[in-house]
């Protein structure tokens, strides 16, 4: 037996016991006649002591050779520490070592294996197996395990059944790019790795499984960001004989349970807003509602016509601010407490919104002074009465600053949304210990690709339209609402789903409006439409992004530290050097010729 206890288990109650421990040497301190070593495993750290007077000579000499990350086994007696450490669970004791076995020597690691390391991100990703020994990464992976177990237990208690679906499937043209896998036994043909188990979980509902879930790997060959990986994990769920309200209630319950069990947070409100309201009020479909700063549309009070009234135009009426007059939308937000910003700070924000990533041409500001007056960058064009209306519409109070953007409606809302999030970050309003979930519902069923002129499914082609909007498919497809819903947590979409189409006729109609010919639809999805002819129940579901959910519950925006072996921003695993060139013999077997 390599150990009787782990390195985090011993305390003062064990004094006098003989124990055996095993683990990695975190560091040593040699005082000549005394040597201390910190022994670490997954469970904690225990201090070892080698005493020239009380330790056998050969053991003491062995201890002098120990280096960082050596793997060792020790046997010894638990004794009380003279200098206790209240900051660690084992801080009251140490092990007086009587036997030492070096199980494996180690090279000096390329960075320190401690909570605060000197290793950069690229270096730590190259030696990820060393990084995992550090508490922040180790604890993130244990946290992920805890979340996954809570999910499994909660859904299992609701009679959901976990079922595995295939990884080698058929490529489809909808959605992101597929990762493809050549078939050796079927020359010139390819499998695809699943972007989601969508059609399989629908077929499980046709098969009568009623409630399915799976914590499953999915794959998308798309550009990467901090919160996106080429392979990611979903909590994939489907239910039969349900309407939208049933699904919202079940997964709202799961989210409440996770927040309570994992974070000790009880969520009172779980609001529901429509897609149109989200876009108009926050500029995006995944708003962070931990703070306010709702959009105020200013067209009616920021634009004016020349020569109004009795024909005798005042100076005010002639003095138009053309940037606003020519804009489709003038919209602003009130940033709390920002009236104290200096001109230098304001100019820095103007430069920020002009960055290519945001793309605004400029920004107007209004300071709401404590004395009730207003000072703006457009005082030449607007008087105190005008600016008071701006403050009323944006909800600005004394001490706040109003920031205003203008231009094409959709583009301007997106720019102001980015500014809203940036201001919230600078003002400390995005508290990672606070959780504000909500549902966004009533998404458009279709969106128009302006380049191709084709309609695309906003979610996927199996999402059902709202029954009351079906007639609009033929006359105004952009106005058709989907039976779809997204769950948003702290400004991040953590899950999404829909009520599915479950009859062949409606599915064929959907394919038609998406530009599929009958042959194309049959070739790609004939198996699903065939299944619908054998008694498909009404069904719907939802998939959570496990990586993102765990990161947000863990107080982080990025997902990498919650994935054991993540890829970098180029989609590479720098630890194993993948992707890589493969042998010509393998290529020949797969009937692949490189140019």
């Amino acid at each position: 037996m390599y150990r009787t206890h782990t390195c985090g288990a011993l305390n003062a109650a064990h004094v006098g016991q003989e124990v055996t421990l095993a683990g990695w040497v975190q560091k040593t301190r040699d005082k000549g006649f005394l040597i201390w070593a910190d022994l670490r495993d997954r469970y904690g750290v225990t201090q070892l002591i080698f005493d020239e007077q009380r330790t056998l000579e050969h053991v003491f000499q062995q201890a002098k050779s120990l280096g960082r990350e050596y793997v060792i086994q020790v046997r010894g007696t638990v004794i009380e520490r003279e200098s206790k450490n209240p900051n660690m669970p084992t801080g009251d004791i140490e092990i007086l070592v009587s036997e030492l076995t070096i199980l494996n020597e180690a090279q000096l690691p390329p960075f320190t294996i401690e909570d605060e390391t000197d290793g950069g991100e690229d270096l730590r990703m190259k030696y990820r197996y060393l990084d995992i020994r550090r508490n922040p990464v180790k604890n993130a992976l244990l946290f992920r395990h805890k979340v996954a177990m809570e999910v499994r237990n909660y859904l299992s208690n609701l009679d959901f059944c976990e079922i595995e679906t295939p990884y080698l499937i058929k490529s489809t043209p909808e959605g992101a790019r597929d990762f493809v896998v050549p078939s050796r036994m079927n020359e010139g043909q390819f499998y695809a790795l699943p972007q989601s188990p969508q059609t399989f979980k629908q077929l499980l509902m046709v098969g009568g499984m009623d409630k399915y879930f799976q914590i499953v790997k999915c794959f998308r060959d798309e550009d990467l960001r901090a919160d996106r990986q080429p392979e990611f994990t979903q909590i994939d769920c489907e239910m039969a004989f349900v309407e939208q309200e049933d699904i919202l209630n079940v997964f709202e319950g799961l989210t409440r349970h996770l927040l309570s069990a994992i974070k000790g947070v009880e969520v009172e409100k779980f609001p529901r807003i429509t897609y149109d309201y989200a876009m108009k009020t926050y500029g995006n479909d995944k708003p962070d509602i931990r703070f306010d700063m709702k959009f105020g549309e200013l067209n009616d009070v920021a634009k004016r016509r020349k020569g109004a009234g009795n024909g005798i135009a005042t100076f005010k009426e002639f003095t138009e601010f053309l940037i606003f007059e020519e804009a489709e939308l003038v919209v602003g937000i009130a940033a709390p407490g920002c009236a104290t910003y200096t001109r230098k700070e304001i100019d820095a924000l103007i430069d920020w919104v002009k960055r290519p990533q945001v793309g605004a041409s400029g920004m107007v500001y209004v300071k709401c002074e404590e004395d009730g007056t207003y000072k703006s960058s457009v005082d030449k064009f607007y008087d105190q009465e005008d600016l008071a209306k701006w403050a009323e519409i944006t909800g600005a109070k004394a001490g706040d600053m109003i920031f205003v953007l203008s231009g094409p409606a959709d583009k301007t809302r997106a720019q102001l949304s980015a500014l809203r999030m940036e201001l919230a970050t600078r003002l400390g309003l995005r508290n990672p210990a606070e959780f504000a979930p909500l549902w966004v519902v009533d998404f458009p069923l279709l969106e128009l690709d302006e380049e191709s002129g084709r309609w695309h499914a906003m979610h996927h082609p199996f999402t059902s339209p709202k029954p009351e909007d079906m007639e609009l498919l033929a006359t105004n497809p952009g106005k058709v609402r989907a039976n779809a819903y997204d769950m948003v947590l702290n400004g991040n979409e953590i899950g999404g789903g829909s009520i599915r189409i479950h009859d062949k006729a409606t599915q064929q109609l959907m394919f038609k409006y998406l530009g599929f010919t009958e042959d194309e639809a049959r070739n790609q999805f004939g198996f699903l439409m065939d299944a619908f002819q054998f008694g498909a129940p009404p069904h719907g579901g939802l998939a959570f992004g496990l990586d993102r959910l765990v990161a947000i519950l863990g107080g982080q925006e990025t997902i990498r530290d919650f994935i054991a072996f993540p890829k970098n921003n180029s989609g590479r695993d720098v630890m194993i050097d993948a992707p890589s060139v493969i042998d010509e013999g393998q290529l020949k077997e797969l009937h692949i010729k490189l140019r």
Side-chain angles (χ1 to χ4, degrees):
M1 185 164 58
Y2 277 105
R3 57 189 180 186
T4 58
H5 298 78
T6 64
C7 292
L10 299 172
N11 54 50
H14 298 92
V15 169
Q17 292 187 22
E18 186 174 80
V19 299
T20 303
L21 303 181
W24 289 263
V25 175
Q26 179 141 323
K27 58 185 175 183
T28 61
R29 300 175 298 285
D30 189 342
K31 297 296 184 182
F33 60 92
L34 285 175
I35 300 171
W36 287 276
D38 289 341
L39 189 66
R40 181 192 69 241
D41 64 9
R42 179 184 127 185
Y43 307 94
V45 176
T46 297
Q47 180 169 284
L48 312 177
I49 182 170
F50 302 84
D51 185 343
E52 193 174 36
Q53 299 297 318
R54 295 179 287 174
T55 302
L56 292 173
E57 173 65 19
H58 74 280
V59 175
F60 190 79
Q61 292 304 318
Q62 271 185 301
K64 283 186 172 293
S65 70
L66 294 178
R68 283 179 179 263
E69 302 308 309
Y70 273 41
V71 185
I72 65 172
Q73 179 192 45
V74 297
R75 181 173 289 112
T77 304
V78 181
I79 63 174
E80 188 174 355
R81 279 175 67 162
E82 289 187 9
S83 299
K84 295 180 172 58
N85 185 345
N87 297 320
M88 56 191 295
T90 61
D92 289 342
I93 58 93
E94 59 190 357
I95 309 301
L96 179 61
V97 178
S98 57
E99 295 181 32
L100 166 63
T101 303
I102 296 176
L103 300 173
N104 214 334
E105 296 181 356
Q107 294 183 19
L108 186 68
F111 53 88
T112 54
I113 314 297
E114 295 180 6
D115 291 3
E116 297 296 329
T117 183
D118 56 355
E121 184 174 299
D122 291 343
L123 184 64
R124 288 186 290 109
M125 286 187 72
K126 183 176 181 180
Y127 297 95
R128 182 64 168 178
Y129 45 86
L130 297 180
D131 204 26
I132 290 172
R133 295 180 191 173
R134 296 174 51 243
N135 281 327
V137 181
K138 175 199 72 177
N139 290 337
L141 297 180
L142 294 175
F143 183 78
R144 179 190 178 104
H145 164 73
K146 183 179 180 181
V147 173
M149 288 303 298
E150 289 292 342
V151 168
R152 280 194 164 95
N153 291 337
Y154 185 88
L155 293 176
S156 296
N157 287 335
L158 292 179
D159 290 331
F160 280 79
C161 179
E162 185 166 12
I163 303 173
E164 292 181 284
T165 53
Y167 276 176
L168 297 176
I169 66 169
K170 186 175 186 176
S171 182
T172 61
E174 285 292 317
R177 298 183 194 90
D178 287 328
F179 282 102
V180 295
V181 180
S183 171
R184 178 181 59 82
M185 294 180 289
N186 300 276
E187 183 176 350
Q189 296 184 317
F190 296 81
Y191 299 104
L193 299 179
Q195 296 183 33
S196 85
Q198 180 62 45
T199 54
F200 288 100
K201 64 181 178 180
Q202 290 190 248
L203 292 171
L204 286 170
M205 296 304 101
V206 177
M209 290 310 298
D210 195 70
K211 292 180 181 179
Y212 140 95
F213 86 100
Q214 182 181 191
I215 297 182
V216 59
K217 280 284 188 185
C218 300
F219 307 86
R220 291 179 188 171
D221 187 6
E222 57 187 357
D223 295 336
L224 306 180
R225 299 193 302 260
D227 63 343
R228 185 177 288 170
Q229 289 274 301
E231 53 179 317
F232 57 97
T233 306
Q234 284 187 179
I235 307 166
D236 199 60
C237 309
E238 197 80 2
M239 303 167 68
F241 302 109
V242 290
E243 296 177 332
Q244 178 173 300
E245 190 68 20
D246 301 309
I247 293 175
L248 299 191
N249 287 334
V250 167
F251 294 103
E252 185 173 318
L254 172 59
T255 306
R256 289 182 189 275
H257 172 74
L258 291 175
L259 288 169
S260 177
I262 301 293
K263 303 299 295 184
V265 173
E266 303 299 329
V267 177
E268 294 182 7
K269 296 181 179 179
F270 212 121
R272 301 179 186 181
I273 62 175
T274 65
Y275 171 85
D276 286 344
Y277 178 86
M279 298 302 294
K280 185 174 181 178
T281 309
Y282 301 103
N284 68 69
D285 58 3
K286 46 182 184 295
D288 191 336
I289 59 171
R290 285 174 292 181
F291 54 94
D292 204 16
M293 283 198 275
K294 293 179 180 177
F295 288 11
E297 296 195 0
L298 303 174
N299 281 25
D300 291 343
V301 294
K303 294 185 178 188
R304 46 176 155 258
R305 293 168 295 176
K306 291 182 180 179
N310 58 8
I312 303 173
T314 65
F315 176 79
K316 172 182 172 182
E317 288 167 331
F318 272 120
T319 309
E320 295 178 321
F321 187 48
L322 291 179
I323 292 173
F324 284 179
E325 295 296 334
E326 295 171 356
E328 181 183 1
L329 176 68
V330 182
V331 62
I333 53 173
C338 290
T340 57
Y341 272 23
T342 64
R343 185 55 197 257
K344 183 178 180 181
E345 290 174 307
I346 295 170
D347 287 345
L349 271 177
I350 293 173
D351 290 340
W352 189 89
V353 300
K354 286 182 175 180
R355 295 157 63 237
Q357 299 94 320
V358 180
S361 58
M363 182 172 69
V364 169
Y365 67 87
V366 181
K367 288 187 175 184
C368 304
E369 306 287 8
E370 294 289 352
D371 63 3
T373 61
Y374 303 95
K375 175 66 178 173
S376 82
S377 55
V378 286
D379 282 345
K380 177 180 177 181
F381 303 99
Y382 299 95
D383 60 23
Q384 293 291 298
E385 183 181 344
D386 293 324
L387 299 178
K389 292 176 182 176
W390 295 17
E392 181 182 354
I393 291 171
T394 59
K397 304 182 295 297
D400 294 349
M401 177 97 77
I402 305 169
F403 294 103
V404 182
L405 298 179
S406 61
D410 291 345
K411 185 177 179 180
T412 302
R413 287 193 178 102
Q415 292 164 351
L416 191 62
S417 175
L419 176 61
R420 177 179 181 268
M421 294 296 280
E422 177 66 16
L423 284 167
T425 300
R426 296 186 184 196
L427 295 170
L429 301 178
R430 302 183 67 196
N431 179 4
E434 181 183 352
F435 297 94
L438 75 153
W439 289 105
V440 179
V441 300
D442 291 355
F443 282 81
L445 180 71
L446 306 170
E447 54 186 347
L448 185 65
D449 184 330
E450 293 183 1
E451 289 187 12
S452 66
R454 284 185 57 182
W455 291 99
H456 291 272
M458 181 169 271
H459 278 69
H460 52 61
F462 316 109
T463 294
S464 68
K466 292 275 186 181
E468 58 269 32
D469 291 354
M470 280 291 292
E471 292 182 359
L472 293 173
L473 269 174
T475 58
N476 195 351
K479 290 294 184 182
V480 179
R481 294 169 300 159
N483 235 327
Y485 34 81
D486 279 358
M487 185 183 288
V488 177
L489 182 61
N490 293 2
N492 293 271
E493 176 204 333
I494 60 167
S498 64
I499 299 297
R500 322 302 186 188
I501 297 169
H502 68 278
D503 66 280
K504 182 177 180 179
T506 305
Q507 189 64 74
Q508 285 177 320
L509 187 64
M510 183 67 171
F511 287 141
K512 174 186 173 182
Y513 284 110
L514 291 173
F516 286 81
T517 66
E518 285 190 25
D519 287 344
E520 287 172 337
R522 180 75 202 169
N523 181 52
Q524 293 292 334
F525 302 108
F527 65 94
L528 184 65
M529 290 188 286
D530 286 346
F532 286 167
Q533 296 179 106
F534 291 95
H539 60 281
L542 175 144
F544 283 102
L546 179 63
D547 309 300
R548 192 176 300 173
L549 173 62
V550 170
I552 294 169
L553 292 175
Q556 303 292 325
E557 291 281 335
T558 58
I559 64 176
R560 280 187 190 152
D561 277 351
F562 296 88
I563 298 173
F565 299 103
K567 307 290 190 293
N568 68 10
N569 283 343
S570 300
R572 295 196 64 83
D573 186 326
V574 295
M575 182 184 67
I576 63 172
D577 192 24
S580 62
V581 175
I582 65 172
D583 183 82
E584 284 191 20
Q586 288 179 280
L587 291 174
K588 187 175 180 180
E589 276 192 323
L590 296 169
H591 318 289
I592 294 175
K593 293 182 180 179
L594 299 180
R595 290 181 180 177

